[in-house]
Amino acid sequence: MADVNFKAEDGDDRPVGPGGRLVREPLSERDSPEAPYIELLFFAYRDFISDPDAVLVAYGFGRAHHRVVHFVNRHPGIRVADLLDILKITKQSLGRVLKQLIDGGFIEQVQGPQDRRQRLLYPTEAGRALALRLIAPQERRIGAALDLLSPDERRGAEQFLKQIIDAGERDKVARLIGR
Amino acid sequence: MADVNFKAEDGDDRPVGPGGRLVREPLSERDSPEAPYIELLFFAYRDFISDPDAVLVAYGFGRAHHRVVHFVNRHPGIRVADLLDILKITKQSLGRVLKQLIDGGFIEQVQGPQDRRQRLLYPTEAGRALALRLIAPQERRIGAALDLLSPDERRGAEQFLKQIIDAGERDKVARLIGR
DNA sequence: AAAATATGTCAACATGGCTGACGTAAATTT
DNA sequence: AAATTTACGTCAGCCATGTTGACATATTTT
């Protein structure tokens, strides 16, 4: 408990703690008109991620593995540097999970044909199978959501998400996802 | 490198590793028609989260603190149990960050007036100020995205996110966000 | 020949999840 | 009144995944 403690009903003459007086009013609609969207994004992502999480435990993998498996399957032959740019993590973080996926036989590295310094990443058949298992429940979830929307509304969902992406990243992402 | 290694150009008679043959074809549009939406959600969330992250480092806090500060400010007097249900984490995980926020003077606990076992959570003035600083860049980001959408399209964005939430959670979330 | 690039690796550290066990005060049930 | 349940806190330890910094190697570019 905080050292400044008191009953909830004892009004305005309460002691003032180190952080100032207590605030009893919720963040107003004026302070944060978009709060519902902010929170929807949080809740949607929370549940969206929970589907593949359940699959991953069976393999002893985590979310980091999921991301790598996903993008390697979507872009077979992707360079390590490009994967790092997509995930926005350090090569040390990637290296750890990548090694496990290679050791497990889900991904293989192929020396780049032009530039032999490159290690192009390809899924194995097992890697492809894993990717499909991971994406299946998300397909269902997204598909069911889109089924309820009109064409205009779908466009809205897509545009909204695109505009939330950093301006400097939008073109790259658009190319990546093929839109 | 994987023990099974070879040049990228040497065709179909390649050795078969423990995960099966290499797969060179991208995940097809048929396998995953909603892949663009899946990835948009990933990229949007990635960047959406990066705004408050920058603010948090100045306080020595992380994303876990952000979530707690946010929901306590949106619902002053929230019970610990309800916060756990929103965040879907364990009380041990919450306890750690909550203690730091209380010690730092950003949140205070008040004994429940009816049920004195409860510790109702309130932001201090400092806690409110932090919440406002954290939400400001997200407000701008979301606001700018919504500005580009028609009413129909906005509805689409909102409905899409709502439908991605677990069916059993939707009503609770709707009440929570006031929609 | 020198410099830059693509990648890998070692060591150490921080955050924030988790489980399991146990404790305490207060409310509820019997 | 006693027993049980509930709300919350806490200790200890583990794991996944992010970080920085330094250094190594092979290859390409200058």
Side-chain angles (χ1 to χ4, degrees):
Chain A
M1 290 282 279
D3 39 357
V4 177
N5 187 20
F6 28 71
K7 299 263 177 64
E9 67 273 25
D10 55 9
D12 292 300
D13 55 344
R14 51 182 62 261
V16 177
R21 287 200 153 64
L22 276 201
V23 177
R24 292 166 138 358
E25 300 76 34
L27 261 187
S28 77
E29 191 78 7
R30 258 139 267 112
D31 288 330
S32 184
E34 322 297 8
Y37 284 94
I38 291 173
E39 291 164 4
L40 278 175
L41 216 36
F42 165 75
F43 289 113
Y45 195 78
R46 181 196 68 178
D47 292 349
F48 169 71
I49 274 295
S50 72
D51 288 334
D53 277 0
V55 176
L56 288 161
V57 291
Y59 291 82
F61 289 150
R63 290 175 186 181
H65 303 85
H66 178 194
R67 294 180 201 124
V68 172
V69 166
H70 178 89
F71 285 106
V72 169
N73 272 274
R74 281 276 285 168
H75 305 281
I78 191 173
R79 292 187 311 142
V80 168
D82 289 335
L83 195 47
L84 288 174
D85 185 54
I86 288 174
L87 302 177
K88 306 283 186 212
I89 58 174
T90 58
K91 61 177 173 175
Q92 291 85 343
S93 293
L94 175 60
R96 217 163 13 199
V97 299
L98 191 51
K99 185 179 188 322
Q100 294 173 295
L101 288 167
I102 290 168
D103 290 349
F106 296 94
I107 288 180
E108 282 180 17
Q109 293 171 310
V110 173
Q111 201 170 54
Q114 285 92 25
D115 187 333
R116 295 185 341 205
R117 290 171 303 182
Q118 298 175 349
R119 301 297 147 88
L120 308 185
L121 304 174
Y122 288 90
T124 62
E125 289 173 348
R128 171 57 55 94
L130 175 55
L132 289 170
R133 284 196 60 181
L134 289 167
I135 213 168
Q138 293 189 319
E139 279 288 322
R140 284 194 291 276
R141 194 182 279 265
I142 303 279
L146 291 174
D147 281 349
L148 299 176
L149 303 185
S150 70
D152 260 16
E153 290 170 332
R154 288 188 190 208
R155 248 190 305 284
E158 180 170 340
Q159 280 310 116
F160 178 70
L161 293 175
K162 275 188 183 160
Q163 290 300 319
I164 288 176
I165 295 168
D166 280 354
E169 294 276 316
R170 261 170 231 154
D171 286 2
K172 199 194 305 170
V173 169
R175 261 176 277 124
L176 217 49
I177 69 176
R179 297 260 176 146
Chain B
M1 290 282 279
D3 40 357
V4 178
N5 187 20
F6 29 71
K7 299 263 177 64
E9 66 273 24
D10 54 10
D12 293 298
D13 55 344
R14 52 181 63 260
V16 177
R21 287 200 153 66
L22 275 201
V23 178
R24 292 166 135 5
E25 300 75 35
L27 260 187
S28 77
E29 190 79 6
R30 259 140 265 113
D31 289 330
S32 184
E34 322 297 8
Y37 284 94
I38 291 173
E39 290 164 6
L40 278 174
L41 216 35
F42 166 75
F43 289 112
Y45 195 77
R46 181 196 68 179
D47 292 348
F48 169 70
I49 275 294
S50 72
D51 289 333
D53 277 0
V55 177
L56 288 161
V57 292
Y59 291 81
F61 289 150
R63 291 176 186 181
H65 302 85
H66 177 194
R67 295 181 198 123
V68 173
V69 166
H70 177 90
F71 285 106
V72 169
N73 272 275
R74 282 275 284 167
H75 306 281
I78 191 173
R79 293 186 311 140
V80 169
D82 289 334
L83 194 48
L84 288 175
D85 185 55
I86 287 173
L87 302 176
K88 305 282 186 214
I89 59 175
T90 58
K91 62 176 173 176
Q92 292 86 340
S93 294
L94 174 60
R96 224 169 2 204
V97 298
L98 189 52
K99 185 179 189 320
Q100 293 174 293
L101 288 167
I102 291 169
D103 290 349
F106 297 94
I107 288 181
E108 282 180 16
Q109 293 171 310
V110 174
Q111 201 170 53
Q114 286 91 25
D115 186 333
R116 298 186 337 206
R117 291 171 303 181
Q118 296 174 352
R119 302 297 148 86
L120 308 185
L121 303 174
Y122 289 89
T124 62
E125 289 172 349
R128 172 56 54 95
L130 175 54
L132 288 169
R133 284 197 59 183
L134 289 168
I135 212 166
Q138 294 189 318
E139 279 289 322
R140 283 194 291 276
R141 195 182 278 265
I142 303 277
L146 291 174
D147 282 349
L148 299 176
L149 303 184
S150 70
D152 261 14
E153 290 170 331
R154 288 188 188 209
R155 250 190 304 283
E158 181 170 340
Q159 281 309 116
F160 178 71
L161 293 175
K162 275 188 182 160
Q163 291 299 320
I164 288 176
I165 296 168
D166 281 353
E169 293 277 316
R170 261 171 231 154
D171 286 3
K172 199 194 304 169
V173 169
R175 260 176 276 124
L176 217 49
I177 68 176
R179 297 265 178 144

